């Protein structure tokens, strides 16, 4: 079988994509000198939060994901980030290709909430590979990409922030139920508020006036499930 090795050489945001998109640059090496006619590659990206340190502000922002620092030994588990497929053109020996990864700014998604909580440094990403390689010097031979192929990719937090700023400059968004939106719209109309920003601000001001000192989190553990194993394609 052809031995395939993968290395992530960098990551950037795509300024021309319709939505937030990261582009990972991937180097693929095939041993033995046999040509690879095509490579149908599947790539699973996973965040490994235990592989970096966190400041006090980041730890507070990550409390609802991982709980108190005292519990991080058991709660700091991998978070699924994305799963994409890419077709790699034929090559011999070595090639490089781009792997576009569409992203979301939905803070109900564990990966987005994790990324939004980081101030600086790198995001510890792991790329896991599978798929099918079409090889052979005198014809086609179909070979699976072994499931143990992987590559580490430390992504700068600045790259994530640049991507989000390109598509959501100076703002973000929340996903709400339709009945909640209807109540907010009724509140906005009743108060004759000019924007959703003013609507939320009025509610926050009213809550602050009623309870100037909001209580701390009432939970102590991680509340969102995460996977620790490679998922099936």
């Amino acid at each position: 079988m052809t031995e395939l090795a993968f290395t992530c050489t960098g990551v950037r945001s795509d300024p021309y994509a319709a939505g937030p998109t990261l582009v990972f640059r991937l180097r693929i090496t095939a041993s033995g000198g046999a040509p690879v006619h095509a490579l149908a590659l599947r790539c699973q990206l996973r965040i490994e939060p235990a592989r970096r340190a966190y400041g006090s502000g980041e730890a507070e922002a990550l409390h609802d994901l991982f709980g108190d620092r005292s519990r991080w030994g058991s709660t700091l588990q991998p978070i699924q980030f994305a799963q994409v497929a890419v077709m790699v053109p034929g090559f011999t020996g070595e090639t490089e290709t781009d792997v576009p990864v569409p992203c979301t700014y939905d803070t109900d998604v564990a990966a987005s909430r994790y990324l939004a909580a980081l101030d600086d440094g790198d995001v510890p990403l792991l790329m896991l590979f599978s798929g099918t390689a079409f090889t052979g010097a005198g014809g086609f031979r179909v070979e699976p990409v072994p499931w143990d192929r992987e590559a580490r990719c430390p992504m700068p937090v600045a790259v994530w922030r640049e991507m989000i700023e390109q598509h959501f400059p100076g703002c973000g968004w929340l996903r709400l139920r339709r009945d909640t939106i209807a109540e907010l719209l009724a509140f906005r109309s009743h108060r004759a508020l000019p924007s959703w920003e003013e609507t939320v601000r009025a509610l926050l001001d009213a809550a602050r006036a009623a309870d100037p000192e909001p209580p701390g989190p009432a939970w102590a553990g991680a509340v969102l499930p995460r996977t620790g194993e490679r998922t099936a394609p």
Side-chain angles (χ1 to χ4, degrees), residues 40-62:
L41 191 64
R42 291 186 295 270
C43 177
Q44 182 181 153
L45 289 96
R46 180 184 299 168
I47 300 172
E48 297 188 309
R51 287 179 39 228
R52 62 158 284 167
Y54 301 91
S56 57
E58 293 173 330
E60 182 178 351
L62 291 169

Short mmCIF file of all heavy atoms in Angstrom, two decimals, residues 40-62:
data_model
loop_
_atom_site.label_atom_id
_atom_site.label_comp_id
_atom_site.label_asym_id
_atom_site.label_seq_id
_atom_site.Cartn_x
_atom_site.Cartn_y
_atom_site.Cartn_z
N ALA A 40 -9.70 10.97 -2.68
CA ALA A 40 -10.97 11.41 -2.08
C ALA A 40 -10.76 11.43 -0.57
O ALA A 40 -10.77 10.37 0.08
CB ALA A 40 -12.10 10.47 -2.47
N LEU A 41 -10.58 12.60 -0.05
CA LEU A 41 -10.13 12.75 1.34
C LEU A 41 -11.25 13.29 2.22
O LEU A 41 -11.97 14.21 1.85
CB LEU A 41 -8.93 13.71 1.39
CG LEU A 41 -8.15 13.79 2.70
CD1 LEU A 41 -7.49 12.46 3.01
CD2 LEU A 41 -7.11 14.90 2.60
N ARG A 42 -11.39 12.67 3.38
CA ARG A 42 -12.28 13.18 4.42
C ARG A 42 -11.43 13.66 5.58
O ARG A 42 -10.49 12.97 5.99
CB ARG A 42 -13.27 12.11 4.87
CG ARG A 42 -14.31 11.73 3.83
CD ARG A 42 -15.34 10.77 4.41
NE ARG A 42 -14.74 9.50 4.78
CZ ARG A 42 -14.62 8.45 3.96
NH1 ARG A 42 -15.05 8.55 2.71
NH2 ARG A 42 -14.07 7.33 4.37
N CYS A 43 -11.78 14.81 6.10
CA CYS A 43 -10.99 15.41 7.18
C CYS A 43 -11.91 15.82 8.32
O CYS A 43 -12.87 16.56 8.11
CB CYS A 43 -10.21 16.62 6.66
SG CYS A 43 -9.27 17.47 7.93
N GLN A 44 -11.62 15.31 9.48
CA GLN A 44 -12.35 15.67 10.69
C GLN A 44 -11.44 16.56 11.54
O GLN A 44 -10.29 16.20 11.80
CB GLN A 44 -12.74 14.42 11.45
CG GLN A 44 -13.55 14.69 12.71
CD GLN A 44 -13.88 13.40 13.44
OE1 GLN A 44 -14.06 13.42 14.65
NE2 GLN A 44 -13.97 12.29 12.72
N LEU A 45 -11.95 17.73 11.95
CA LEU A 45 -11.18 18.65 12.77
C LEU A 45 -11.73 18.65 14.18
O LEU A 45 -12.94 18.73 14.39
CB LEU A 45 -11.22 20.07 12.19
CG LEU A 45 -10.43 20.27 10.90
CD1 LEU A 45 -11.37 20.15 9.70
CD2 LEU A 45 -9.74 21.62 10.88
N ARG A 46 -10.81 18.57 15.14
CA ARG A 46 -11.18 18.48 16.54
C ARG A 46 -10.34 19.45 17.36
O ARG A 46 -9.13 19.59 17.13
CB ARG A 46 -10.97 17.04 17.02
CG ARG A 46 -11.32 16.79 18.47
CD ARG A 46 -10.98 15.37 18.86
NE ARG A 46 -11.73 14.40 18.07
CZ ARG A 46 -11.47 13.11 18.04
NH1 ARG A 46 -10.45 12.62 18.73
NH2 ARG A 46 -12.20 12.29 17.32
N ILE A 47 -10.97 20.14 18.29
CA ILE A 47 -10.26 21.01 19.22
C ILE A 47 -9.84 20.18 20.43
O ILE A 47 -10.65 19.44 20.98
CB ILE A 47 -11.15 22.19 19.66
CG1 ILE A 47 -11.57 23.03 18.46
CG2 ILE A 47 -10.43 23.06 20.69
CD1 ILE A 47 -12.60 24.09 18.79
N GLU A 48 -8.58 20.32 20.82
CA GLU A 48 -8.06 19.62 21.99
C GLU A 48 -7.72 20.65 23.08
O GLU A 48 -6.57 21.08 23.21
CB GLU A 48 -6.83 18.79 21.61
CG GLU A 48 -7.13 17.68 20.60
CD GLU A 48 -5.95 16.78 20.38
OE1 GLU A 48 -4.84 17.29 20.11
OE2 GLU A 48 -6.12 15.55 20.50
N PRO A 49 -8.70 21.06 23.87
CA PRO A 49 -8.51 22.16 24.81
C PRO A 49 -7.48 21.90 25.89
O PRO A 49 -6.94 22.84 26.47
CB PRO A 49 -9.91 22.36 25.41
CG PRO A 49 -10.63 21.09 25.16
CD PRO A 49 -10.08 20.53 23.90
N ALA A 50 -7.18 20.65 26.19
CA ALA A 50 -6.20 20.35 27.24
C ALA A 50 -4.78 20.68 26.82
O ALA A 50 -3.88 20.67 27.67
CB ALA A 50 -6.30 18.88 27.64
N ARG A 51 -4.54 21.00 25.55
CA ARG A 51 -3.19 21.22 25.06
C ARG A 51 -2.77 22.69 25.08
O ARG A 51 -1.80 23.06 24.42
CB ARG A 51 -3.06 20.68 23.64
CG ARG A 51 -3.02 19.15 23.57
CD ARG A 51 -2.92 18.65 22.15
NE ARG A 51 -2.05 19.48 21.34
CZ ARG A 51 -2.37 19.94 20.14
NH1 ARG A 51 -3.55 19.66 19.61
NH2 ARG A 51 -1.53 20.68 19.47
N ARG A 52 -3.48 23.54 25.85
CA ARG A 52 -3.04 24.93 25.98
C ARG A 52 -3.40 25.45 27.37
O ARG A 52 -4.21 24.84 28.08
CB ARG A 52 -3.62 25.83 24.90
CG ARG A 52 -5.13 25.96 24.89
CD ARG A 52 -5.57 27.25 24.18
NE ARG A 52 -5.35 28.42 25.02
CZ ARG A 52 -5.41 29.67 24.57
NH1 ARG A 52 -5.63 29.91 23.29
NH2 ARG A 52 -5.22 30.69 25.39
N ALA A 53 -2.78 26.56 27.75
CA ALA A 53 -3.07 27.20 29.03
C ALA A 53 -4.10 28.30 28.84
O ALA A 53 -4.31 28.79 27.72
CB ALA A 53 -1.78 27.76 29.64
N TYR A 54 -4.75 28.70 29.95
CA TYR A 54 -5.83 29.69 29.89
C TYR A 54 -5.64 30.73 30.98
O TYR A 54 -5.29 30.39 32.12
CB TYR A 54 -7.19 29.01 30.04
CG TYR A 54 -7.45 27.97 28.98
CD1 TYR A 54 -7.10 26.64 29.18
CD2 TYR A 54 -8.02 28.32 27.76
CE1 TYR A 54 -7.32 25.68 28.21
CE2 TYR A 54 -8.24 27.37 26.78
CZ TYR A 54 -7.89 26.05 27.01
OH TYR A 54 -8.11 25.11 26.03
N GLY A 55 -5.89 32.00 30.63
CA GLY A 55 -5.88 33.06 31.61
C GLY A 55 -7.14 33.04 32.44
O GLY A 55 -8.09 32.30 32.17
N SER A 56 -7.18 33.90 33.46
CA SER A 56 -8.35 33.93 34.36
C SER A 56 -9.61 34.36 33.63
O SER A 56 -10.69 33.81 33.87
CB SER A 56 -8.06 34.87 35.53
OG SER A 56 -7.74 36.18 35.06
N GLY A 57 -9.50 35.34 32.71
CA GLY A 57 -10.66 35.77 31.95
C GLY A 57 -11.18 34.68 31.04
O GLY A 57 -12.39 34.47 30.89
N GLU A 58 -10.26 33.94 30.40
CA GLU A 58 -10.66 32.84 29.54
C GLU A 58 -11.31 31.73 30.34
O GLU A 58 -12.31 31.14 29.91
CB GLU A 58 -9.44 32.31 28.79
CG GLU A 58 -8.84 33.29 27.78
CD GLU A 58 -7.54 32.80 27.19
OE1 GLU A 58 -6.80 32.07 27.89
OE2 GLU A 58 -7.24 33.14 26.03
N ALA A 59 -10.76 31.43 31.53
CA ALA A 59 -11.33 30.38 32.37
C ALA A 59 -12.75 30.73 32.78
O ALA A 59 -13.63 29.86 32.82
CB ALA A 59 -10.45 30.17 33.61
N GLU A 60 -13.00 32.00 33.08
CA GLU A 60 -14.36 32.42 33.45
C GLU A 60 -15.31 32.27 32.28
O GLU A 60 -16.45 31.82 32.44
CB GLU A 60 -14.33 33.87 33.94
CG GLU A 60 -15.67 34.38 34.40
CD GLU A 60 -15.61 35.80 34.92
OE1 GLU A 60 -14.48 36.34 35.07
OE2 GLU A 60 -16.67 36.38 35.19
N ALA A 61 -14.84 32.65 31.08
CA ALA A 61 -15.70 32.53 29.89
C ALA A 61 -15.97 31.08 29.52
O ALA A 61 -16.98 30.77 28.88
CB ALA A 61 -15.05 33.26 28.72
N LEU A 62 -15.07 30.17 29.92
CA LEU A 62 -15.23 28.75 29.59
C LEU A 62 -15.92 27.95 30.69
O LEU A 62 -16.02 26.74 30.60
CB LEU A 62 -13.84 28.13 29.32
CG LEU A 62 -13.13 28.60 28.06
CD1 LEU A 62 -11.69 28.13 28.05
CD2 LEU A 62 -13.86 28.11 26.82
#
